[in-house]
Amino acid sequence: MMIDATALRGPPSSGGSYQRRRRRQKRRRSMIDPASFEKRSLLWFLFLVGLLVCLADVAYILHYVDDTKSSNTDHNPHKSSSSRTLRDAVRQSSSSLKNTLEGMEMLMDSNNEEFSNSGLSLEEFMLMNRQLRDHEAEIYTPKAIHRKPGKDEEKPPPLTDVEWLDIIEAKKPILDMLQSAFGLKQLMDLRTEVEPQILRDLPTWEQVSRLYGDKARIKGVEHCEAFQSHSTKSDHFVSVAGTFNSGTNLMSELLIANCHMQDRMDVYGGKNRGVRWQVPWGKHSPVGDEAFRLEHKTMKDTDIEAHNVLPAVTIRDPYVWMNSMCHIEYAAHWHHDPHGHCPNLIPNELELKTWGKFLKAMKPIPVHVKYNGFWKHHESLVGMWNDWYREYFGTDSFPSLIVRYEDLLFHPQEVTETVCRCAGGSLRRDGHFEFVLDSAKKGDTAHGPKEDRTGFLQALIKYGQRTTNPKLTMHDLRYASIHLDKEMMKFFNYKHPFDVDPKARE
């Protein structure tokens, strides 16, 4: 008699091996399933990233505490502050992690307006932001002029009464502005609020006047009445434009802190103050293409008509601007070494040897700029400055104002009021003017602690004196002096280095 093998094994439900096989098959199917696999991979990736961040923070804290404990033991063996140091380290580490995550969220957000309008890839945009932070830190973070003296250094001596009187006589307009910016009752209070060496380093008003003149220079005020009367006033805005590295953020912050369009507020409510961070066609975009200016909209300006916006265009001394372009190029591309010969207008021997296929001896180095959806090609950095601003400076097809970045430092109230009133607005009702004390930190206006004021003071010192960039060769200087737009240079009272410093000719 034949015996059935299945009968000997019994039904599937009677044994555990069948159920184990089914579980294994189910696990294999879930591993093969793409959605499940992708979800599991993402979770593992986030877990590993979090674990690495935590390990790095713990290592940093332990290293920081160890170093600080040994430092405290060396300098003060009778006093231990390890617990306080640990708290400070944890607080600093948590703040750093928070800033990192916020930065990652900002960059990875596909709806981020600045990223979407930059015309850059995500990697290029992240690199640009890193460069920008480094550049701002270099410009606005005080170095030798505002720091605690080292062990072997002597603290700068306090101002004598004679020194103070000389400073008042030579720098009175700047001191008056600082008194108002810092909210001080008396000019004398500056002696205690500002470090002596900074007061010594501030430029005299004669130096400022020699560089930029006694008054602010604004192009386009003759078009203010036409802008105010061309359509319904409640639909009007004032906004900001300017090429890369031209000070657009400072202009925006001054307007946001001080200007309001009352006609618009009466119709749309108090929160609709009529001040926008950038023009609807993009603050860095050129305006030579009229169709682009009228039709292109940034992500947050889809319902804004271009003709209802008065652009306040910031311009900067071209020689200083070219230096900044070497630190952070944004979307500009040209053959250069930011740590070597830069600004480079005419190639030197090393550049010809390195990029000989693209450059020619004694010929300008071309610059190509990538905007949102198109490229612009310029003969050189000088050509880029000329071409970009000439499209605003030389047009009467729409009203605009062009203001000098330097005037935002030395005449901030006058310039802000002129721009605001030109658009049909007015300054704060309380009569108080809010200064932007640290442009490296967006939104830090009004009165703040002393460490927040150093950015403003540093900028006054930096732009109140002119030194020739040693990286500019005689070929560069000669090319710039010939090709920089003479009409714009004259109107804005910008000077060539050898007009300020005769040694630059040597």
Side-chain angles (χ1 to χ4, degrees):
M1 185 174 93
M2 299 286 295
I3 299 175
D4 189 357
T6 58
L8 294 175
R9 286 198 302 266
S13 59
S14 63
S17 61
Y18 174 78
Q19 293 171 350
R20 285 195 294 273
R21 284 198 303 273
R22 288 294 299 262
R23 282 196 295 269
R24 284 197 296 270
Q25 291 172 359
K26 188 175 180 180
R27 281 198 298 271
R28 281 198 293 269
R29 282 198 299 270
S30 67
M31 291 177 66
I32 297 172
D33 180 44
S36 176
F37 180 77
E38 183 178 352
K39 183 177 180 182
R40 186 183 293 104
S41 299
L42 179 60
L43 291 174
W44 272 108
F45 174 76
L46 293 175
F47 172 76
L48 289 175
V49 170
L51 181 62
L52 289 173
V53 171
C54 291
L55 290 174
D57 284 348
V58 170
Y60 169 77
I61 292 172
L62 293 176
H63 176 72
Y64 185 88
V65 171
D66 184 60
D67 285 353
T68 311
K69 281 179 69 177
S70 62
S71 174
N72 289 337
T73 304
D74 291 341
H75 296 289
N76 191 356
H78 304 292
K79 183 178 180 179
S80 173
S81 58
S82 59
S83 59
R84 184 179 68 253
T85 303
L86 179 59
R87 288 196 301 272
D88 294 342
V90 171
R91 192 181 298 115
Q92 181 178 353
S93 179
S94 301
S95 175
S96 174
L97 177 59
K98 179 182 177 182
N99 292 338
T100 302
L101 294 175
E102 288 177 352
M104 289 176 63
E105 181 182 358
M106 185 271 293
L107 288 172
M108 295 302 293
D109 183 5
S110 60
N111 294 324
N112 180 272
E113 182 175 2
E114 187 174 356
F115 167 61
S116 62
N117 287 300
S118 66
L120 302 175
S121 67
L122 180 60
E123 292 78 9
E124 291 173 327
F125 186 71
M126 293 175 70
L127 176 61
M128 184 194 76
N129 273 271
R130 265 198 314 272
Q131 292 174 328
L132 180 59
R133 288 195 299 271
D134 294 343
H135 181 44
E136 285 180 336
E138 180 176 339
I139 291 179
Y140 294 106
T141 302
K143 295 176 182 175
I145 65 165
H146 188 76
R147 60 184 174 84
K148 295 180 180 180
K151 222 177 169 185
D152 300 328
E153 298 179 58
E154 293 184 4
K155 186 177 180 180
L159 293 175
T160 64
D161 291 338
V162 174
E163 268 189 302
W164 174 242
L165 291 175
D166 290 340
I167 287 174
I168 291 178
E169 182 179 358
K171 310 177 183 182
K172 183 67 161 57
I174 295 178
L175 298 181
D176 289 340
M177 180 173 64
L178 294 180
Q179 179 185 351
S180 177
F182 298 162
L184 304 178
K185 293 182 178 180
Q186 300 179 357
L187 198 65
M188 180 67 69
D189 294 336
L190 285 171
R191 289 186 70 174
T192 56
E193 289 292 312
V194 181
E195 291 186 5
Q197 193 56 46
I198 291 182
L199 292 173
R200 293 186 181 101
D201 291 339
L202 286 171
T204 66
W205 193 247
E206 182 182 355
Q207 288 176 305
V208 175
S209 301
R210 192 162 58 243
L211 286 174
Y212 311 115
D214 292 326
K215 299 179 180 178
R217 303 246 176 156
I218 303 177
K219 175 79 166 69
V221 290
E222 64 275 11
H223 301 303
C224 296
E225 186 176 345
F227 174 78
Q228 295 178 34
S229 61
H230 87 281
S231 61
T232 306
K233 288 188 175 182
S234 59
D235 293 333
H236 290 179
F237 296 91
V238 61
S239 193
V240 176
T243 190
F244 313 123
N245 290 310
S246 63
T248 54
N249 286 352
L250 179 56
M251 182 78 261
S252 296
E253 290 173 17
L254 286 169
L255 288 171
I256 290 171
N258 296 284
C259 179
H260 66 274
M261 310 280 280
Q262 190 61 48
D263 292 308
R264 182 169 181 80
M265 294 169 66
D266 291 341
V267 175
Y268 297 103
K271 292 184 178 180
N272 291 273
R273 295 171 54 234
V275 180
R276 303 191 73 81
W277 183 262
Q278 66 171 331
V279 292
W281 54 90
K283 64 179 181 178
H284 295 318
S285 300
V287 293
D289 185 343
E290 183 70 1
F292 180 87
R293 186 184 72 85
L294 294 174
E295 297 170 8
H296 180 77
K297 308 291 183 184
T298 59
M299 195 167 293
K300 295 181 180 179
D301 298 317
T302 54
D303 59 339
I304 306 298
E305 296 296 332
H307 64 270
N308 284 331
V309 177
L310 177 71
V313 183
T314 54
I315 191 171
R316 197 171 173 191
D317 183 306
Y319 288 95
V320 181
W321 172 81
M322 287 189 289
N323 292 341
S324 294
M325 288 298 291
C326 291
H327 287 281
I328 173 169
E329 305 91 340
Y330 282 83
H333 303 267
W334 77 100
H335 292 97
H336 71 289
D337 175 7
H339 305 293
H341 174 212
C342 194
N344 56 336
L345 305 176
I346 302 295
N348 59 19
E349 291 184 10
L350 179 59
E351 289 165 331
L352 288 172
K353 194 177 296 184
T354 306
W355 299 298
K357 293 182 179 181
F358 310 99
L359 306 178
K360 295 181 180 179
M362 300 309 296
K363 296 293 183 181
I365 299 174
V367 176
H368 313 282
V369 187
K370 183 181 181 182
Y371 295 102
N372 188 12
F374 63 96
W375 285 80
K376 280 282 189 176
H377 306 283
H378 309 280
E379 184 181 74
S380 63
L381 276 175
V382 164
M384 179 181 170
W385 189 88
N386 286 344
D387 297 342
W388 201 98
Y389 286 107
R390 174 52 67 176
E391 292 181 356
Y392 277 100
F393 189 89
T395 184
D396 291 325
S397 60
F398 63 94
S400 66
L401 298 177
I402 307 180
V403 302
R404 296 187 301 187
Y405 170 76
E406 296 80 10
D407 289 332
L408 299 180
L409 298 175
F410 296 105
H411 305 279
Q413 188 165 351
E414 177 188 347
V415 173
T416 305
E417 183 172 7
T418 300
V419 172
C420 185
R421 294 194 182 283
C422 182
S426 55
L427 296 186
R428 295 164 56 108
R429 295 172 184 171
D430 59 7
H432 174 69
F433 184 80
E434 293 279 348
F435 289 81
V436 177
L437 297 183
D438 196 339
S439 293
K441 302 175 183 177
K442 294 180 181 178
D444 281 1
T445 55
H447 314 310
K450 292 182 182 180
E451 57 268 22
D452 287 345
R453 303 174 182 174
T454 55
F456 184 47
L457 294 167
Q458 176 81 350
L460 293 177
I461 295 171
K462 174 183 173 69
Y463 287 91
Q465 53 192 344
R466 167 68 68 80
T467 55
T468 304
N469 188 334
K471 295 182 179 180
L472 284 170
T473 66
M474 283 307 302
H475 294 306
D476 294 330
L477 290 170
R478 189 178 297 112
Y479 173 85
S481 65
I482 295 172
H483 291 87
L484 276 169
D485 190 293
K486 292 177 174 54
E487 185 180 6
M488 290 194 290
M489 291 289 286
K490 181 178 180 181
F491 183 91
F492 293 111
N493 200 36
Y494 287 141
K495 296 176 174 62
H496 299 285
F498 44 74
D499 293 332
V500 180
D501 182 11
K503 294 181 180 178
R505 291 182 182 274
E506 300 175 1

